[in-house]
Amino acid sequence: MAPTAPGEKTGRAPGRRLAGNRHLVGWLEALPLTVILLTFLVLPIITIVIVSFWQATEFSIIPAFSFENYEFLFGSSVAWRVFGATFRYAAIAWVFCLVIGFTVAYYLAFHIRSQTMQVALFLLCTIPFWTSNIIRMISWIPFLGRNGIANQTLIDLGLIDAPLEWLLYSDFSVILAFVHLYTLFMVVPIFNTMMRIDKSLIEAARDNGATGFQTLRHVIIPLTKPGIMIGTIFVVTLVMGDFITVRFMSGSQRANVGRLISNDIGLLQYPSAAATAVVLLCTVLITIGILLRFVDIRKEL
């Protein structure tokens, strides 16, 4: 083997040092974000998991390892019904958010030719988010109430003889508020995905004799799946963790897992609340994991 020239050794050493410096700089740049995530995300979750195995009385919390919180949770028929109601709210709200969000995004992406008009209409959709969620949610109460605008309008039109009681403080009002609050979380990712679709693919489908429905089914929807999945993750996780909407819009007559946790915290039953939160977190993570098995959304991120 020919001996290595001195120039080659001196040439490799600076290259290795440069690569090592870049590697170190990369770790240093990621360090602040890593510290923030560990401090404000990972550490609180670990704390909640630990507290979920503690015991509690009416007056104190006992840091002793026990499965009684989980045994009570999984053995309670009330808890099972509450989890069922939570999934029902999430599923129904997701369907309506998907239909409305897909329709709005499709209109903005394919029927509005001017980019300026697209931006203007998109910003118009975001205007309600300039106010608090609670204010937007409570604004439905005078509209849906027994003597509200909706009932009075229906009575004046002669469509009903008496006010409809189920418009407010019911599952209908809860779902309506969820759809109102979270539809934009479906519109944004779907619109973003549709804007990336090559318009020549749609023109090619039309040139080959495809109808509008066939183009939608075989071209647009398959290419929009990543955006649909991202919107689904947003809507499902937000609905499953929302308890304020259920409390106000149902008149405290309905419950979901978030309300279960809120009630335990109000009663100072932190271990029980922590156990419920852990189960809810695992449920949401499993749901997201199942969704990610169908579509690879990494190319959209």
Side-chain angles (χ1 to χ4, degrees), residues 182-234:
Y182 301 128
T183 296
L184 189 63
F185 290 94
M186 189 70 76
V187 174
V188 173
I190 295 178
F191 174 74
N192 182 55
T193 306
M194 285 183 175
M195 291 301 295
R196 299 183 183 184
I197 296 177
D198 190 353
K199 300 301 187 293
S200 62
L201 296 176
I202 300 176
E203 294 178 359
R206 292 173 180 172
D207 292 340
N208 283 278
T211 63
F213 177 76
Q214 290 174 331
T215 303
L216 177 67
R217 178 182 177 185
H218 298 289
V219 179
I220 297 177
I221 291 180
L223 295 177
T224 314
K225 282 183 179 179
I228 294 175
M229 200 57 60
I230 294 174
T232 298
I233 292 174
F234 278 133

Side-chain angles (χ1 to χ4, degrees), residues 18-29:
L18 182 60
N21 291 335
R22 290 178 178 176
H23 187 69
L24 179 60
V25 170
W27 278 104
L28 291 177
E29 291 177 348

Side-chain angles (χ1 to χ4, degrees), residues 45-56 61-71 74 270-276 278-279 282:
I45 292 177
I46 294 176
T47 303
I48 292 173
V49 173
I50 293 174
V51 173
S52 69
F53 290 100
W54 289 0
Q55 301 176 10
I61 297 176
I62 305 172
F65 185 85
S66 174
F67 286 102
E68 67 177 14
N69 296 316
Y70 291 97
E71 292 175 354
F74 289 108
Y270 296 114
S272 178
T276 308
V278 170
V279 174
C282 293

Side-chain angles (χ1 to χ4, degrees), residues 20-99:
N21 291 335
R22 290 178 178 176
H23 187 69
L24 179 60
V25 170
W27 278 104
L28 291 177
E29 291 177 348
L31 183 60
L33 181 59
T34 302
V35 172
I36 292 174
L37 290 176
L38 290 175
T39 304
F40 297 102
L41 180 63
V42 177
L43 184 60
I45 292 177
I46 294 176
T47 303
I48 292 173
V49 173
I50 293 174
V51 173
S52 69
F53 290 100
W54 289 0
Q55 301 176 10
T57 64
E58 295 180 358
F59 308 102
S60 63
I61 297 176
I62 305 172
F65 185 85
S66 174
F67 286 102
E68 67 177 14
N69 296 316
Y70 291 97
E71 292 175 354
F72 176 79
L73 184 63
F74 289 108
S76 172
S77 60
V78 175
W80 284 104
R81 288 197 300 270
V82 170
F83 269 92
T86 303
F87 277 105
R88 185 174 69 252
Y89 287 144
I92 298 175
W94 170 76
V95 170
F96 283 102
C97 288
L98 176 60
V99 172

Side-chain angles (χ1 to χ4, degrees), residues 15-301:
R16 291 177 179 176
R17 286 197 299 269
L18 182 60
N21 291 335
R22 290 178 178 176
H23 187 69
L24 179 60
V25 170
W27 278 104
L28 291 177
E29 291 177 348
L31 183 60
L33 181 59
T34 302
V35 172
I36 292 174
L37 290 176
L38 290 175
T39 304
F40 297 102
L41 180 63
V42 177
L43 184 60
I45 292 177
I46 294 176
T47 303
I48 292 173
V49 173
I50 293 174
V51 173
S52 69
F53 290 100
W54 289 0
Q55 301 176 10
T57 64
E58 295 180 358
F59 308 102
S60 63
I61 297 176
I62 305 172
F65 185 85
S66 174
F67 286 102
E68 67 177 14
N69 296 316
Y70 291 97
E71 292 175 354
F72 176 79
L73 184 63
F74 289 108
S76 172
S77 60
V78 175
W80 284 104
R81 288 197 300 270
V82 170
F83 269 92
T86 303
F87 277 105
R88 185 174 69 252
Y89 287 144
I92 298 175
W94 170 76
V95 170
F96 283 102
C97 288
L98 176 60
V99 172
I100 299 174
F102 188 91
T103 304
V104 173
Y106 181 85
Y107 177 78
L108 293 177
F110 298 109
H111 288 273
I112 303 299
R113 302 299 181 183
S114 172
Q115 186 175 7
T116 303
M117 185 60 66
Q118 283 181 340
V119 174
L121 292 177
F122 183 79
L123 292 177
L124 183 64
C125 295
T126 65
I127 287 178
F129 279 75
W130 297 357
T131 59
S132 169
N133 277 9
I134 297 179
I135 294 176
R136 289 187 288 125
M137 173 187 59
I138 294 178
S139 65
W140 283 104
I141 295 178
F143 182 83
L144 299 174
R146 179 179 177 85
N147 298 317
I149 299 174
N151 274 318
Q152 290 299 323
T153 302
L154 293 175
I155 292 175
D156 293 340
L157 293 175
L159 299 178
I160 58 176
D161 297 326
L164 300 175
E165 301 290 345
W166 53 267
L167 288 181
L168 186 61
Y169 301 142
S170 62
D171 288 337
F172 171 80
S173 58
V174 173
I175 297 297
L176 180 63
F178 278 143
V179 173
H180 175 213
L181 294 175
Y182 301 128
T183 296
L184 189 63
F185 290 94
M186 189 70 76
V187 174
V188 173
I190 295 178
F191 174 74
N192 182 55
T193 306
M194 285 183 175
M195 291 301 295
R196 299 183 183 184
I197 296 177
D198 190 353
K199 300 301 187 293
S200 62
L201 296 176
I202 300 176
E203 294 178 359
R206 292 173 180 172
D207 292 340
N208 283 278
T211 63
F213 177 76
Q214 290 174 331
T215 303
L216 177 67
R217 178 182 177 185
H218 298 289
V219 179
I220 297 177
I221 291 180
L223 295 177
T224 314
K225 282 183 179 179
I228 294 175
M229 200 57 60
I230 294 174
T232 298
I233 292 174
F234 278 133
V235 171
V236 170
T237 54
L238 288 171
V239 171
M240 293 185 70
D242 191 330
F243 66 94
I244 292 294
T245 302
V246 177
R247 177 182 177 183
F248 283 122
M249 298 307 295
S250 70
S252 297
Q253 299 178 30
R254 303 290 189 275
N256 65 345
V257 180
R259 280 213 63 197
L260 204 62
I261 298 173
S262 176
N263 292 339
D264 285 337
I265 293 176
L267 296 173
L268 303 182
Q269 298 296 312
Y270 296 114
S272 178
T276 308
V278 170
V279 174
L280 177 61
L281 176 62
C282 293
T283 303
V284 172
L285 292 178
I286 292 173
T287 304
I288 294 176
I290 294 173
L291 294 175
L292 294 179
R293 298 283 294 180
F294 294 97
V295 177
D296 183 12
I297 65 173
R298 288 178 295 181
K299 57 184 178 182
E300 291 293 317
L301 300 177

